[in-house]
Amino acid sequence: MNTRGKLAALFLVTILALSLAGGALAGPGDDAAGKALAWLATKQNADGGFSDGFSPNSGVGPTSDAIVAIVAAGQDAGAWKKNGVSPLDYLEVQVSAGKVTKPGDIAKTIIATVATGENPHSISGVDLVSKLNGLHKTGGFGGTLYEDTLAVLALANAGQSVPEDVTARLITAQTKDGAWAFTGDTAAGAGDTNTTALVVQALIATGHRDAIGRALDYFRRTQNDDAGWPYQVPSAYGTETDANSTANVIQALIAAGESLSNWGKAGRSDPLGALIRLQDVKTGAFNYQASLPGANLLATLQAIPALTGATFVRVPIVRASSAAPTAAVPPQILPVAGASLPMLPLMLVGIGAALACAGWLMRKSKT
């Protein structure tokens, strides 16, 4: 092979490598998550925490959700500082002050702690895992079915065994039409997509995947023509697609190993597309529903993990660094994959293969 041929071959290999890298770095979920995260950074309170959007004050639940969203996008939550205080600092203050007492709040704090690579057994000297287990009663942890499901996921993510009576209760609490209800009501029509999506993930996390089949049928029946989901069907409040419900179901489908491309409706895009259509293109925030435009904090918090393909079966982990720089605006988002396999490793493999091919061509030219 002459010099011109060598250059042509190397050029083609370089194009291949760049195209593989570009595929890994780009995607509708990645772009939407980056915009949503940039908007979220503007909503951080002076105490380092986040509100639920209904009150200006920070809360344990939404701050934990924010940490999971930040980590799902590949960022260090410890670097998200407002006035030198991060959302992790906010949670530690609340735990130290004895304000994290409800099972749902304890569970969310454990999940957020695990996501940052910290030890949930020692948060400001408090063992939250023991505290959660201390609330265990027959069949649950003293909260709603939704809170008990969060507790199951918290223990699973913390590497702890889940009481068998709790998972047994989750299985028997399935409604007659295959869903799960926030309150645990088993009557047909009582279930909702949000609780069902969370229970599906909890059952998968505890090795009970065989118990989720009817839930997938329920998701099929309640999916709207735009490929998204409402909170409940039927509902006195309407069945319009909302971002929260769609994001939750997307996470459950990903956890169940379902391809979102198999959940397209009427020739339209898949559920990920339905979720992205609810994003405000100017601000990056998510609307709750198309008919209710306006930046919705909770909808945005719940959308980001779904956009990146993260689930609560095993939350992604980005270890918080104490040496992380203070920044009012978070650092650039790392490459993540919208509702698919992690793309960065695939990108590196692709580039490596391309370079190996280039080496082979160069050796071939010498023979």
Side-chain angles (χ1 to χ4, degrees):
M1 183 183 293
N2 57 29
T3 302
R4 181 176 296 178
K6 294 177 185 178
L7 291 174
L10 286 174
F11 174 77
L12 291 174
V13 169
T14 301
I15 292 298
L16 172 62
L18 290 175
S19 65
L20 287 169
L25 292 171
D30 303 321
D31 183 55
K35 292 176 181 177
L37 214 62
W39 178 83
L40 182 62
T42 68
K43 299 303 174 183
Q44 187 174 15
N45 287 333
D47 58 8
F50 291 83
S51 79
D52 58 10
F54 300 101
S55 164
N57 299 323
S58 298
V60 170
T63 300
S64 297
D65 291 340
I67 290 172
V68 172
I70 292 166
V71 169
Q75 294 192 19
D76 173 7
W80 277 52
K81 294 186 178 181
K82 191 71 172 289
N83 298 331
V85 187
S86 75
L88 301 176
D89 297 325
Y90 170 81
L91 287 184
E92 289 184 0
V93 168
Q94 303 309 305
V95 171
S96 179
K99 296 182 179 180
V100 182
T101 58
K102 297 179 180 178
D105 283 345
I106 296 173
K108 283 195 172 189
T109 303
I110 291 173
I111 292 172
T113 301
V114 170
T116 58
E118 300 296 328
N119 183 7
H121 291 280
S122 181
I123 304 175
S124 295
V126 179
D127 186 341
L128 283 185
V129 174
S130 294
K131 191 170 184 177
L132 181 60
N133 279 322
L135 297 177
H136 175 235
K137 299 177 181 179
T138 303
F141 295 87
T144 62
L145 182 78
Y146 191 90
E147 288 180 295
D148 288 341
T149 305
L150 281 172
V152 169
L153 287 167
L155 292 175
N157 275 281
Q160 303 296 304
S161 60
V162 177
E164 292 184 6
D165 62 284
V166 178
T167 52
R169 180 207 172 197
L170 288 184
I171 293 172
T172 58
Q174 191 171 25
T175 65
K176 297 184 185 303
D177 53 357
W180 276 272
F182 185 88
T183 60
D185 187 350
T186 59
D192 63 84
T193 57
N194 292 236
T195 305
T196 304
L198 199 67
V199 174
V200 164
Q201 293 175 79
L203 291 177
I204 292 173
T206 54
H208 295 87
R209 195 193 184 289
D210 56 342
I212 71 169
R214 291 199 300 134
L216 297 181
D217 296 334
Y218 166 78
F219 289 145
R220 285 287 187 191
R221 292 196 309 273
T222 55
Q223 187 179 20
N224 285 330
D225 289 339
D226 63 1
W229 280 269
Y231 176 74
Q232 196 172 40
V233 177
S235 171
Y237 304 100
T239 57
E240 182 181 352
T241 291
D242 69 77
N244 307 60
S245 301
T246 301
N248 286 328
V249 176
I250 285 175
Q251 288 182 289
L253 294 178
I254 293 172
E258 291 285 310
S259 172
L260 296 184
S261 63
N262 293 333
W263 289 76
K265 294 284 284 188
R268 302 191 69 176
S269 61
D270 63 19
L272 187 63
L275 178 59
I276 292 174
R277 284 194 293 274
L278 290 171
Q279 186 174 33
D280 185 289
V281 295
K282 293 182 178 179
T283 66
F286 276 78
N287 303 309
Y288 171 63
Q289 293 176 329
S291 65
L292 294 172
N296 187 295
L297 187 53
L298 284 182
T300 305
L301 287 174
Q302 292 185 323
I304 293 172
L307 292 169
T308 65
T311 78
F312 290 105
V313 173
R314 289 292 181 272
V315 290
I317 297 175
V318 175
R319 184 171 295 278
S321 172
S322 59
T326 301
V329 178
Q332 184 176 356
I333 194 169
L334 294 177
V336 290
S340 62
L341 294 174
M343 286 285 101
L344 184 55
L346 294 179
M347 177 188 75
L348 296 176
V349 170
I351 292 175
L355 293 176
C357 181
W360 179 84
L361 287 172
M362 292 296 292
R363 290 194 301 273
K364 186 75 173 177
S365 68
K366 295 178 181 179
T367 61

